[in-house]
Amino acid sequence: AQSVTQPDIHITVSEGASLELRCNYSYGATPYLFWYVQSPGQGLQLLLKYFSGDTLVQGIKGFEAEFKRSQSSFNLRKPSVHWSDAAEYFCAVGHNNAGNMLTFGGGTRLMVKP
Amino acid sequence: DSGVTQTPKHLITATGQRVTLRCSPRSGDLSVYWYQQSLDQGLQFLIQYYNGEERAKGNILERFSAQQFPDLHSELNLSSLELGDSALYFCASSVPPGTEAFFGQGTRLTVV
């Protein structure tokens, strides 16, 4: 069965530092991969997606992610974190044979130190 | 603003009761998805409708049901509510296949 693992439940970084959030997936076919962000009391906002093609994808708010098939990973990165990036981040795999239903990881809560 | 509208934003009800959550998808999106977010289970897919027909089912309890109407809005009905049903319920919509889903702000259900 498909699954998504986000190994880090909490991460704290200093403002201006670089960020990498890890995501590993298990899926039998070529996956559709997504990163979403959830601010407190808010819904889920799509940061970026990978369907095919270039394995390095750019998203909104300066985020990027790299799909590595050999490692079954889709890690999210940002070169310089801003205080407003503090939120919970979810990696998800989409089941393209089942109309795009998503399986989510457990989430990583990012805290930003001033 | 994702364009997906969910009402109500908050709902408090007693155990044993029945509630209906409503979702209006983005204009033009034919697919609607329902997800439940709880502290112990995380974000879980419940059910998907496409143009009025049920397309996929996830971990949805028998006490829960959904439908999608001809105008494409959807309702999630939760009955015989238990304390453990307290959660944030999200609706999302997309134009399948192979495109991203856009999420609403969610309905926070509290069962007391």
Side-chain angles (χ1 to χ4, degrees), chain B residues 85-105:
Chain B
D85 298 327
S86 296
L88 193 51
Y89 291 85
F90 284 111
C91 170
S93 73
S94 74
V95 181
T99 60
E100 64 267 31
F102 292 85
F103 282 76
Q105 297 286 303

Side-chain angles (χ1 to χ4, degrees), chain A residues 32 34 36 38 41-44 46 49 51 90 96 98-102 104, chain B residues 33 35 37 43 45 48 56 88 90 94 96-101 103-105:
Chain A
Y32 292 170
F34 305 85
Y36 284 87
Q38 184 180 26
Q42 300 296 311
L44 293 160
L46 180 70
K49 61 184 184 287
F51 289 160
F90 292 93
N96 45 24
N100 294 342
M101 56 167 279
L102 298 173
F104 284 90
Chain B
Y33 312 78
Y35 290 85
Q37 185 179 33
L43 265 163
F45 168 73
Q48 180 206 359
L88 193 51
F90 284 111
S94 74
T99 60
E100 64 267 31
F103 282 76
Q105 297 286 303

Side-chain angles (χ1 to χ4, degrees), chain A residues 20-73:
Chain A
E20 182 169 30
L21 302 183
R22 296 183 291 164
C23 172
N24 293 97
Y25 67 90
S26 171
Y27 189 66
T30 300
Y32 292 170
L33 294 162
F34 305 85
W35 276 98
Y36 284 87
V37 61
Q38 184 180 26
S39 298
Q42 300 296 311
L44 293 160
Q45 182 182 22
L46 180 70
L47 285 176
L48 47 77
K49 61 184 184 287
Y50 172 79
F51 289 160
S52 64
D54 193 348
T55 57
L56 185 63
V57 294
Q58 303 296 320
I60 62 171
K61 304 184 180 187
F63 286 93
E64 66 178 26
E66 186 170 12
F67 170 57
K68 293 185 178 180
R69 185 187 300 275
S70 61
Q71 298 176 20
S72 297
S73 69

